[in-house]
Amino acid sequence: MQLTNLYPTAFVSLVAIPGIGTWLGATPEVLVQIDRHHVFRTVALAGTQPITEGLTPADAIWRQKEIEEQSLVQRYIISCFKHLRLRDYVEMGPRTIAAGNLLHLKTEYSAAMEEVGFPNLGTQMLELLHPTSAVGGMPKAAALKMINELEQHNRRYYSGFLGPVQIGQETNLFVNLRCAEVGKDTVTAYAGAGMTADSNPAKEWQETELKMQTVLRLFQASES
């Protein structure tokens, strides 16, 4: 309940599976949505800056690095549509949105599945989108190979996806970001940052710390 109150626009989850572990999260990123009218939706969510006092989303100024990071994700989603030869979709954005203590750039995509002749679009796009370029990199195959070679920490379920499927005739799957694995005596928080040629390593590290505060704030509040 506390996490829901802190992040009312996020998908808040608590998953506990014997032998697997307990995971708590509040993610802002839609991977695949299908509503009761059979409309497919997904988003490109990238670029991050902290919300500062007196700053509204409309006032946000984005650096070229964040704009390019967002464009990479947009281009990947569009490439998935092209792979399926889907041409009739709606693109809205990018616009600045608030997610907890952070601002992001967000572009929304939608398509009426039956009208465009793609009744299985949700399943098809899920297979193409996961892992998204925001967490898996581009070009996809080469980036995933490099991540597997260089990352020393097992991501476990971080950057996977979760959410209710066919509940009330709707499916809502989200990328598992801003999450933590809760152990008996430990809490392991997970976060990442989009790396481009213009990235500053120190700033990217600060970004991960800001993102981890999404979940860690809950435990800090409990201690106080």
Side-chain angles (χ1 to χ4, degrees), residues 23-207:
W23 287 74
L24 179 68
T27 174
E29 185 168 349
V30 173
L31 181 61
V32 167
Q33 281 187 334
I34 302 172
D35 68 18
R36 65 186 62 219
H37 304 294
H38 305 288
V39 175
F40 164 87
R41 291 183 175 84
T42 190
V43 305
L45 189 74
T48 302
Q49 63 175 287
I51 294 178
T52 57
E53 188 174 352
L55 178 69
T56 67
D59 300 323
I61 298 174
W62 294 95
R63 297 177 302 163
Q64 184 59 38
K65 184 264 178 186
E66 281 89 12
I67 293 172
E68 176 58 21
E69 184 181 331
Q70 163 71 4
S71 296
L72 284 169
V73 183
Q74 287 180 252
R75 290 197 292 270
Y76 183 70
I77 291 175
I78 292 172
S79 75
C80 292
F81 288 147
K82 289 181 177 179
H83 178 81
L84 296 174
R85 298 184 180 178
L86 171 65
R87 297 180 178 85
D88 297 322
Y89 59 86
V90 177
E91 177 179 353
M92 297 180 61
R95 62 188 178 91
T96 303
I97 60 132
N101 60 328
L102 300 172
L103 295 175
H104 302 289
L105 284 168
K106 179 180 181 180
T107 303
E108 300 172 272
Y109 296 88
S110 63
M113 298 192 301
E114 294 179 353
E115 291 180 14
V116 299
F118 282 82
N120 299 315
L121 183 60
T123 300
Q124 292 171 303
M125 285 296 289
L126 179 61
E127 292 175 351
L128 292 171
L129 287 173
H130 177 72
T132 69
S133 54
V135 298
M138 290 182 66
K140 192 169 187 176
L144 290 175
K145 182 176 183 294
M146 185 178 71
I147 288 171
N148 287 330
E149 292 173 351
L150 297 180
E151 275 195 7
Q152 298 181 14
H153 189 87
N154 189 337
R155 292 188 182 186
R156 301 271 284 143
Y157 295 99
Y158 167 70
S159 74
F161 61 86
L162 76 169
V165 176
Q166 288 297 310
I167 302 297
Q169 300 180 7
E170 296 189 350
T171 293
N172 295 276
L173 296 175
F174 295 79
V175 184
N176 192 28
L177 306 173
R178 320 288 200 274
C179 61
E181 184 176 10
V182 183
K184 182 178 179 181
D185 301 307
T186 61
V187 175
T188 304
Y190 292 77
M195 306 296 291
T196 72
D198 297 322
S199 290
N200 179 301
K203 290 183 178 179
E204 299 294 350
W205 179 262
Q206 292 171 0
E207 181 178 317

